[in-house]
């Protein structure tokens, strides 16, 4: 071997040794039990598994798992039989069963939020349940009472008779960051897999779930890739501190099983809902009173705006909180309180944090300038017969008042009751419209809101309304009281 070749080989070996020494010097020493060594093509690298190279979920899991429970429900259904006309002709109806009651079982998960037995779960887990049983992580089983439900957010509150229970502390879900690690805890496939823990990251915030339908469509879900299956419904989504950031609610899947997309109701919404259910037995929800959508590139260009995020107002409901605050069509909402508004879902989430009577400042873009308005939030629904400040009376989501003489004369009527506004409720669903004059309720003439309330109150089944639309056309509609 020539002297030059030997010199080159020596240099290569020396370089390799130096490189290896540098790498080894840069990597902290690790015990054999907590380390792994790999060759990356140029040098061997030792990674210390005990360091923060990999997330450690042990504290979060141990802190939260005992407060997540298994929920089993019983739902009684009635199965009706179709009787064969041949047997009915010869034997009649006597002695032949017309229907049979069946009890169906279902299950989900829940999260203990107070030591005295209050547990939050999903509305769809306990809806129509005739019996709810809760099994703790220590295998103790209790019969639970449904305290209240909120279909709009799919949140429900149940309670067991127990004290000194482990709880999960609420975290501020607004502080969640994209890519942050989270754990999903629940019973994914029934009692056999109770207290299952899976990990993932926050994939998106303020997400609208595909094909979601609800009375108020509160859509601002946390999307994660933590493995969640149907039995996880109502279970906990916790951060690395073991604090509650959401209630696992649904998955998007073509097979019915987990496909990588799971959704949770943010803890701030959950906390607000369960607080109302505990304090009032119902949810005190408010409404801003606008229709619109996310600001688009086209709409921003049309309005000559320099911004590209916000909520464009297409219509302001008369008499609503937005109307009284001074908001108008073509305004773009960019901030509510101190929170920037980037989309309709983020606006819905922020509005849902307020109670009736709460005040806030709302910032909009109008005519190329920022303007700030003071808004006082109003209740989204009011009990029938409740009289508002302007004298109007609540009736199944609408507001009624005695019409002016001028209005009656214009329509050629002597008396009636005017529908001032229509919000979410049975009246809207039945086809009621603003400006409609109610003349008859269940064939009885009416001349004041009190007449409408009294007649409807005495009706056991359906309410049938006849009258005239705002443009003078005779019309009618109806709805069932218990639908």
């Amino acid at each position: 071997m020539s002297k030059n070749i030997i010199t080159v080989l020596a240099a290569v070996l020396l370089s390799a040794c130096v490189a290896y020494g540098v790498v080894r010097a840069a990597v902290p020493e690790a015990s054999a039990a907590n380390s792994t060594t790999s060759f990356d093509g140029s040098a061997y690298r030792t990674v210390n598994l005990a360091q923060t190279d990999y997330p450690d979920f042990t504290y979060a899991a141990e802190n939260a798992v005992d407060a997540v429970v298994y929920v089993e429900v019983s739902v009684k259904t009635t199965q009706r039989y179709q009787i064969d006309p041949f047997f009915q002709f010869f034997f009649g109806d006597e002695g032949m069963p017309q229907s049979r009651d069946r009890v169906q079982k279902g299950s989900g998960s829940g999260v203990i939020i107070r030591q005295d037995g209050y547990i939050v779960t999903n509305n769809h887990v306990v809806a129509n349940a005739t019996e709810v049983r809760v099994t703790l992580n220590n295998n103790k089983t209790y019969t639970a009472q449904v305290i209240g439900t909120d279909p709009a957010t799919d949140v429900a509150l149940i309670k067991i008779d127990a004290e000194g229970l482990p709880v999960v502390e609420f975290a501020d879900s607004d502080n969640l960051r994209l890519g942050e690690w989270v754990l999903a805890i629940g019973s994914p496939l029934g009692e056999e897999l109770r207290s299952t823990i899976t990990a993932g990251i926050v994939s998106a915030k303020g997400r609208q779930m595909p094909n979601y339908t609800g009375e108020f469509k509160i859509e601002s879900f946390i999307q994660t890739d933590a493995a969640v299956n149907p039995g996880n419904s109502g279970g906990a989504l916790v951060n690395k501190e073991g604090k509650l950031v959401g209630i696992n609610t649904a998955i998007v899947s073509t097979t019915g099983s987990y496909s990588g997309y799971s959704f949770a109701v943010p803890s701030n919404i959950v906390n607000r809902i369960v607080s109302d259910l505990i304090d009032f037995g119902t949810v005190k929800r408010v409404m801003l009173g606008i229709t619109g959508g996310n600001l688009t590139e086209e709409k921003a260009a049309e309005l000559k705006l320099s911004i590209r995020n916000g909520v464009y107002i297409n219509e302001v409901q008369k008499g609503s909180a937005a109307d009284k605050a001074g908001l108008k069509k073509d305004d773009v909402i960019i901030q509510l309180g101190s929170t920037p508004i980037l989309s309709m879902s983020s606006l819905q989430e922020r509005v849902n944090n307020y109670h009736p009577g709460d005040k806030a400042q709302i910032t909009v873009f109008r005519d190329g300038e920022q303007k700030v308005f003071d808004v006082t939030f109003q209740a989204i629904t009011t009990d029938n017969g409740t009289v508002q400040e302007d004298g109007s009376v609540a009736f199944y989501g609408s507001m009624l008042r005695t019409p002016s003489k001028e209005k009656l004369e214009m329509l050629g009527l002597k008396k009636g009751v005017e529908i001032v506004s229509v919000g979410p409720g049975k009246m809207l669903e039945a086809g009621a419209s603003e400006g409609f004059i109610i003349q008859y309720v269940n064939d009885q003439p009416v001349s004041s809101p009190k007449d409408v309330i009294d007649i409807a109150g005495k009706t056991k089944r359906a309410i049938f309304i006849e009258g005239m639309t705002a443009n003078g056309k005779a019309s009618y509609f109806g709805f069932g009281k218990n639908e």
Side-chain angles (χ1 to χ4, degrees):
M1 185 178 295
S2 67
K3 184 177 180 180
N4 289 337
I5 295 177
I6 294 174
T7 302
V8 171
L9 288 175
V12 171
L13 290 173
L14 179 60
S15 299
C17 292
V18 170
Y20 178 73
V22 170
V23 171
R24 288 302 302 249
V27 178
E29 290 297 324
S31 65
N34 292 324
S35 66
T36 183
T37 304
S38 62
F39 185 69
D40 66 3
S42 62
Y44 284 93
R45 296 178 179 272
T46 301
V47 178
N48 190 344
L49 299 181
Q51 292 184 346
T52 56
D53 302 277
Y54 295 86
D56 184 355
F57 301 126
T58 54
Y59 175 81
E62 292 169 356
N63 189 57
V65 68
D66 287 337
V68 180
V69 302
Y70 172 71
V71 179
E72 184 180 59
V73 300
S74 299
V75 179
K76 184 180 291 186
T77 60
T78 301
Q79 181 181 14
R80 299 192 178 278
Y81 295 102
Q82 184 174 1
I83 302 175
D84 190 320
F86 175 81
F87 288 97
Q88 190 175 29
F89 177 79
F90 285 101
F91 302 105
D93 293 334
E94 289 188 24
M96 300 189 69
Q98 304 293 314
S99 63
R100 183 180 69 175
D101 289 338
R102 300 182 60 187
V103 176
Q104 295 180 326
K105 297 287 187 178
S107 66
S109 305
V111 184
I112 305 173
I113 58 170
R114 280 186 19 176
Q115 292 183 339
D116 55 353
Y118 282 96
I119 299 169
V120 63
T121 184
N122 283 145
N123 171 69
H124 75 260
V125 172
V126 299
N128 303 316
T130 53
E131 184 182 28
V132 179
R133 293 180 66 79
V134 168
T135 302
L136 307 187
N137 201 33
N138 61 8
N139 292 324
K140 288 186 177 180
T141 299
Y142 299 82
T143 298
Q145 173 190 1
V146 178
I147 301 299
T149 63
D150 183 46
T153 55
D154 200 16
V155 171
L157 184 68
I158 61 178
K159 188 180 186 304
I160 61 175
D161 187 12
E163 297 286 345
L165 298 175
V167 301
V168 176
E169 181 182 345
F170 278 94
D172 186 349
S173 54
D174 288 346
N175 292 334
L176 271 179
R177 300 176 64 185
L178 297 181
E180 182 175 341
W181 283 99
V182 286
L183 300 182
I185 309 176
S187 305
L189 296 173
E191 190 171 10
E192 292 77 8
L193 296 180
R194 266 174 27 208
S195 305
T196 294
I197 303 170
T198 57
I201 63 168
V202 176
S203 305
K205 295 173 60 179
R207 181 70 83 194
Q208 292 183 327
M209 206 161 56
N211 303 320
Y212 174 75
T213 57
E215 184 180 358
F216 302 106
K217 290 183 71 67
I218 304 294
E219 296 189 68
S220 189
F221 295 97
I222 301 167
Q223 181 183 331
T224 77
D225 65 354
V228 168
N229 279 288
N232 280 101
S233 292
L237 187 72
V238 302
N239 59 20
K240 288 194 295 182
E241 297 175 350
K243 295 181 179 180
L244 190 70
V245 295
I247 294 296
N248 296 314
T249 297
I251 60 175
V252 173
S253 171
T254 57
T255 64
S257 297
Y258 174 71
S259 296
Y261 310 98
S262 57
F263 298 86
V265 181
S267 60
N268 285 358
I269 291 181
V270 175
N271 199 6
R272 154 85 165 80
I273 297 300
V274 298
S275 295
D276 275 4
L277 292 176
I278 292 173
D279 294 339
F280 310 112
T282 186
V283 179
K284 301 291 185 179
R285 183 167 283 114
V286 300
M287 179 174 62
L288 184 57
I290 66 163
T291 59
N294 297 341
L295 182 65
T296 63
E297 189 82 20
E298 293 77 12
K299 181 59 68 173
E302 177 187 331
L303 298 176
K304 298 180 180 179
L305 298 176
S306 59
I307 60 173
R308 291 297 182 268
N309 290 312
V311 171
Y312 166 73
I313 298 179
N314 185 57
E315 183 180 359
V316 177
Q317 183 178 334
K318 185 178 179 180
S320 66
D323 181 39
K324 293 178 180 178
L327 300 187
K328 297 180 179 179
K329 183 181 184 302
D330 292 337
D331 284 347
V332 178
I333 300 173
I334 59 173
Q335 186 167 308
L336 177 55
S338 60
T339 304
I341 300 301
L342 305 178
S343 63
M344 181 61 82
S345 61
S346 65
L347 177 62
Q348 289 175 331
E349 182 177 2
R350 297 313 304 170
V351 169
N352 198 51
N353 287 330
Y354 291 95
H355 284 90
D358 285 350
K359 302 178 185 295
Q361 287 191 323
I362 190 165
T363 305
V364 305
F365 253 104
R366 178 187 295 175
D367 299 327
E369 297 181 356
Q370 285 193 30
K371 295 182 179 293
V372 179
F373 297 90
D374 295 319
V375 60
T376 301
F377 289 100
Q378 301 173 183
I380 196 169
T381 56
T382 310
D383 294 336
N384 288 346
T386 302
V387 181
Q388 302 296 301
E389 294 178 359
D390 61 359
S392 60
V393 180
F395 182 69
Y396 287 104
S398 67
M399 303 304 299
L400 311 178
R401 72 179 174 197
T402 302
S404 64
K405 290 183 179 179
E406 293 77 14
K407 177 100 181 205
L408 290 174
E409 289 176 357
M410 181 180 70
L411 296 173
L413 302 176
K414 293 184 178 180
K415 60 182 179 179
V417 177
E418 182 181 3
I419 300 176
V420 181
S421 63
V422 183
K426 291 182 181 293
M427 289 282 280
L428 177 63
E429 295 168 1
S433 59
E434 184 177 320
F436 187 96
I437 302 296
I438 302 174
Q439 295 176 271
Y440 300 92
V441 177
N442 288 359
D443 292 329
Q444 300 182 56
V446 294
S447 58
S448 70
K450 185 178 184 302
D451 293 340
V452 177
I453 298 296
D454 289 346
I455 295 171
K458 296 175 184 177
T459 302
K460 294 182 178 180
R461 298 180 63 184
I463 297 173
F464 186 72
I465 293 174
E466 299 172 78
M468 189 171 291
T469 63
N471 58 11
K473 182 179 179 181
S475 184
Y476 59 87
F477 57 88
F479 56 89
K481 290 184 68 174
N482 299 318
E483 290 179 348

